[in-house]
Each structure stands twice: as C-alpha cells, then as structure tokens.
Amino acid sequence: MLIASVLDPGLFTQDCRRDPTIRALLVDHLMHVAHCHIMICDQDNLLGKAIVKGLASLPPCIAQQLSVAFIGDAARIVRLAIPAQDTQSILDILPDLPLTATAMALSNQPGVDATLASQDGYEAIHMTELPHDRVFSLSSYADSNVKRREYDSMGSVSTKDMPQREFCDNIINPFVRWANKVIMIDKIVATSFFDHTPGDQGSNWPIFSRTIKCIYQAWKEECKVEPDSFEIITCPNQMRNWEKPHQSHWLAEGVQHDYTKQARLIGETLMRDGLTGELRVRLIKTNNLRAVAHDRYLVNNRSAILNFSRGFDLIHTPQGILTETAVSLYREREQGSVSRILTAGDAAVWESPALLLAKQKEANSAVTTDNVL
C-alpha cells in the first residue's frame, strides 16, 4: 500500500511549459504522492529541492497543501547513493538536464517501485541499456500496477483468507522496507500472553506470536536502511485478568503486580520465537489507550500508519492464512490517537540485549567524538 517513488523535476520545468494540460495530471499525481508515497531522492537532495521549487509554480492553494507533505515532513524523504555510471549514461543523452538524469538513474535502485519521468527522461532512458520497466510517463503510469496500488491505499484492503505471502508482499513489505523503526500497537498483546501457559492450545497467543514474528521477519529481510528497533506497545495485564484457573502458573511467578517482569517475559518469549534482534516491549498505562476502541496500528518512522480493524492475532493457521481484518493506510494529524499513544507514560520497558548493545555502542561513539572535539 505504501509506494516508494522518484519524481523527475523536469515535469515542472519542461513538460508543464510545453503543454499546460499536463499540470492537471501532475497535480493529481502529487496528491496521491502526498498520501501514500515515500519520496526517493539523491544523497544531496537536489531532486527534493527542485521539486519544492516546482511546487511554487502551481496554483497557490494547491502549492500550499502539497508543501505540507513535501516540505514539512522530512521523514518521508529517503536519500540514496547512485552509481555514477548510471547517471552518466543518461547525461550522455541529456547533458543539459542533470536532475532528470539523476531521477532516471534512481529508478533502478533496489526497492524503488516507480519513477514518474518527464518526456525527455522517458525517451532518454529507453535509449540506454538501463532497465526501464519501473519508469513511467504521466500517461503510461495511469495503467500501471503501481497506480492500482494507489487506489488500494485510498480505501481499505480485506485480509480474509489472504495467504501470508500475499499479506507480506502487498501490505507489510512496502511499509517496512524504508523503515528504520517499526512500532506495533495493540493493547491486548500482554493480556493474550498471560492468558496462556506453556503448551496451552486454548489461547490465541500462538496466533499473536505467529503474526508478530511474520511482521518482524519481513522488516529484518526487507529493510534497506539502517535498522533501529522493532517495538511493541501494549497495556499491562491488569488484576481483573488473572481469574482463570490455568493462570496460577503466572501467579506463582509473581507477575500480577510486577509490570517490569511482565514486559521481560513477553520480550524473552518473543526472542525464543525468533525475534532475536533490536526488540523493545513497552507497557504503557491503561488510561493512555482508552481513546482506541478496538483498532490496532503499525507505525514506521516515515510518518505512515497502517490501521488494522482488529488485533494482531491475524495469521490463524500454521499454513499462513489470515483472518478477516480491514487494513488502511493513513497519515495522522497532530495529536491524534497514535501520537498520544507514542508519547504516553510507560508502566514498564524491556529491551533486548541486541538493542542495549547497539545503544551502548552509540553512547560510546558519542563520547569518543566529544573527546576528539
């Protein structure tokens, strides 16, 4: 549902000047980009600066609306290095259009879904030996699979009876591919965990664990940027949830009043299930989730949120078939439900050894830098 794309500034500086009707098509595309795209730019962000300049050429009301997405949200921009030979092969054809050459060269970087090219760029890349199956003109883009993914992102997608592979390919992988940090929010993860005992088949915890592992592994395998952390935010298991006879196992562990131990047991169990990297479990105070009636969220550090209409007990068979939920992509306004949850007070936090080690290395590096300065 989330799309990683490149935008050729030549659309503003060349195509719109040649044909004023192009502007309406470009504005329509930019509106979709603002909703469901990650912007791929060069390391010096020359493309980004040129796009911002191009926005100023649009009608003021539209320019102002789009500037919020393209200027006010730097997290949505990913900067990539480009092989010099790729850029040069385009420059040989378009020596006077270096930014278009840069955009065309970025189109072949792993993880880029689409490049919307100016007419000059579209013709030039077809004259090289570079792959160009992900390069589109404004007219050809309308019939592309990427455009159909945009339509999906404008509504919701049902996962009923969806295979796990399709779930990952179409929903999860695009969402985590450019995410340094992924956060899962589900207020009943802890409740589900402490409703099971080792070997208990009646609990839905195995389904939660299977789904969490699926999303975590997708992030570890697909992520093309430096990973930071995978975080689970949930509520502590409260006293009223310790009434079932089989929970005597946990009562003997003394966890009903010890939220730190609750977080640790959840984290260590997930590690044994395969989440061996940069994992964090946050238990937040219950009243901080009262605003969330039943929806659950997957959040990344690219200002994107996936909303799930039910909890993360999704992959309900070992064969990887999903149960029914509606998944939608959106970008939250300030002080929305997710923002309040992310900034809520902690009841307890557990961090994996790998995450603690990474934080220690970062702290040591900062100290070394300070000493040098």
Side-chain angles (χ1 to χ4, degrees):
M1 299 175 78
L2 198 61
I3 297 165
S5 68
V6 180
L7 187 64
D8 178 1
L11 286 161
F12 296 100
T13 58
Q14 305 296 325
D15 291 25
C16 285
R17 292 177 182 175
R18 292 172 183 159
D19 182 358
T21 62
I22 291 292
R23 179 175 294 179
L25 293 174
L26 179 58
V27 168
D28 177 75
H29 175 71
L30 292 172
M31 291 294 188
H32 285 90
V33 169
H35 172 68
C36 61
H37 285 235
I38 296 291
M39 293 295 297
I40 306 297
C41 291
D42 56 291
Q43 281 191 319
D44 296 324
N45 200 28
L46 297 177
L47 288 184
K49 294 173 183 176
I51 291 168
V52 169
K53 187 176 180 180
L55 291 177
S57 67
L58 300 178
C61 60
I62 296 174
Q64 182 178 9
Q65 182 179 352
L66 291 173
S67 293
V68 174
F70 290 93
I71 301 174
D73 195 354
R76 299 181 64 240
I77 297 175
V78 176
R79 302 185 186 187
L80 298 182
I82 316 168
Q85 64 270 22
D86 288 2
T87 307
Q88 189 58 51
S89 63
I90 306 292
L91 277 174
D92 290 341
I93 303 169
L94 300 173
D96 298 327
L97 297 175
L99 292 177
T100 291
T102 297
M104 296 305 100
L106 278 170
S107 69
N108 290 302
Q109 299 310 296
V112 174
D113 296 306
T115 294
L116 196 65
S118 64
Q119 193 61 39
D120 289 328
Y122 188 73
E123 293 174 357
I125 197 167
H126 281 77
M127 296 170 64
T128 72
E129 295 182 357
L130 294 175
H132 46 72
D133 57 306
R134 291 177 287 172
V135 179
F136 303 93
S137 64
L138 274 170
S139 57
S140 66
Y141 185 77
D143 297 322
S144 68
N145 287 329
V146 184
K147 186 64 178 178
R148 285 189 280 276
R149 285 172 55 189
E150 281 185 2
Y151 292 143
D152 286 341
S153 74
M154 301 306 289
S156 61
V157 175
S158 171
T159 63
K160 181 175 176 58
D161 296 329
M162 181 182 288
Q164 180 177 327
R165 184 70 268 163
E166 181 181 343
F167 174 63
C168 289
D169 287 346
N170 296 342
I171 298 175
I172 300 301
N173 291 354
F175 188 82
V176 302
R177 188 167 289 135
W178 302 102
N180 307 84
K181 185 173 184 176
V182 176
I183 303 173
M184 176 183 288
I185 300 173
D186 188 327
K187 63 182 179 181
I188 63 168
V189 166
T191 300
S192 175
F193 179 83
F194 290 106
D195 192 32
H196 94 291
T197 57
D200 175 27
Q201 298 301 310
S203 166
N204 66 348
W205 171 250
I207 305 175
F208 268 102
S209 176
R210 191 180 299 128
T211 308
I212 294 169
K213 182 178 179 180
C214 165
I215 296 172
Y216 173 84
Q217 288 182 332
W219 175 61
K220 293 295 287 185
E221 293 170 5
E222 288 289 325
C223 185
K224 297 189 179 303
V225 291
E226 186 68 24
D228 179 277
S229 60
F230 186 95
E231 183 173 308
I232 298 169
I233 296 180
T234 187
C235 285
N237 198 40
Q238 301 288 303
M239 278 299 295
R240 64 180 179 275
N241 294 323
W242 297 103
E243 300 171 353
K244 298 178 181 179
H246 66 262
Q247 291 182 314
S248 59
H249 168 83
W250 298 116
L251 294 176
E253 294 280 335
V255 302
Q256 66 268 39
H257 301 296
D258 191 339
Y259 294 161
T260 299
K261 182 176 282 190
Q262 286 189 29
R264 178 175 60 79
L265 286 168
I266 294 170
E268 290 178 347
T269 300
L270 288 171
M271 283 186 62
R272 288 194 295 272
D273 289 344
L275 281 72
T276 56
E278 302 84 351
L279 177 65
R280 178 184 296 110
V281 177
R282 279 184 64 200
L283 304 186
I284 67 173
K285 298 173 183 177
T286 308
N287 59 353
N288 291 311
L289 281 179
R290 284 178 181 167
V292 184
H294 194 64
D295 287 0
R296 312 298 193 259
Y297 304 95
L298 200 63
V299 185
N300 66 22
N301 64 307
R302 298 297 177 185
S303 300
I305 301 169
L306 285 179
N307 175 287
F308 293 76
S309 62
R310 60 163 291 147
F312 283 103
D313 51 339
L314 296 176
I315 306 176
H316 63 95
T317 72
Q319 293 74 33
I321 302 300
L322 273 76
T323 192
E324 168 67 25
T325 189
V327 186
S328 55
L329 174 71
Y330 78 103
R331 298 186 184 279
E332 188 174 70
R333 297 180 182 274
E334 289 187 36
Q335 301 306 312
S337 297
V338 172
S339 297
R340 292 197 298 273
I341 292 169
L342 295 179
T343 57
D346 294 326
V349 178
W350 174 89
E351 296 180 327
S352 68
L355 185 57
L356 292 172
L357 179 61
K359 291 172 66 175
Q360 185 60 52
K361 287 181 178 179
E362 183 178 348
N364 292 342
S365 176
V367 170
T368 301
T369 302
D370 290 342
N371 290 338
V372 170
L373 295 176

